[in-house]
Amino acid sequence: MNTTILNKYCIDTVGFAVTKIGKITKVANRTIHVDWGFKSMIYINKDFRWIPLTQEEIEKKYKKNKFSPDALKRAQQLGFEIQ
């Protein structure tokens, strides 16, 4: 992993619904730190299973009806414009 994923976002889904949005806050040699809003988690590189996305990619790919109520609140807190 390299620092090109820093400040990108992770989407956790259940089926087709977005349930959590995390922001990558730190990338170290062996770990990746993700702020999920309710808590920050530290993942070992090999255990990091998300594809980092930019804000624009998320806004384009996921529509409002795909978000759980909590995930929609988190998206608005992060400044996303979900249609």
Side-chain angles (χ1 to χ4, degrees), residues 10 26 44 47 58 73 82:
C10 306
K26 182 178 178 183
I44 297 172
D47 295 335
I58 292 170
K73 286 179 194 171
I82 305 298

Side-chain angles (χ1 to χ4, degrees), residues 33-50:
H33 300 237
V34 180
D35 175 11
W36 291 104
F38 56 92
K39 71 161 67 168
S40 291
M41 300 290 291
I42 301 170
Y43 300 94
I44 297 172
N45 285 356
K46 67 181 176 84
D47 295 335
F48 186 76
R49 60 182 174 91
W50 293 273

Side-chain angles (χ1 to χ4, degrees), residues 2 4-5 8 22-23 26 28 33 43 46 48 58 65 70 74 79:
N2 55 30
T4 60
I5 66 171
K8 288 195 176 181
K23 183 174 183 179
K26 182 178 178 183
H33 300 237
Y43 300 94
K46 67 181 176 84
F48 186 76
I58 292 170
N65 64 342
D70 290 339
R74 173 77 171 146

Side-chain angles (χ1 to χ4, degrees), residues 4-23:
T4 60
I5 66 171
L6 188 63
N7 293 320
K8 288 195 176 181
Y9 299 93
C10 306
I11 297 290
D12 203 7
T13 60
V14 173
F16 292 104
V18 175
T19 57
K20 295 190 287 185
I21 301 173
K23 183 174 183 179

Side-chain angles (χ1 to χ4, degrees), residues 50-63:
W50 293 273
I51 298 170
L53 301 167
T54 64
Q55 181 175 344
E56 294 78 24
E57 290 170 324
I58 292 170
E59 290 172 345
K60 183 178 179 184
K61 185 173 182 179
Y62 298 99
K63 301 299 177 200

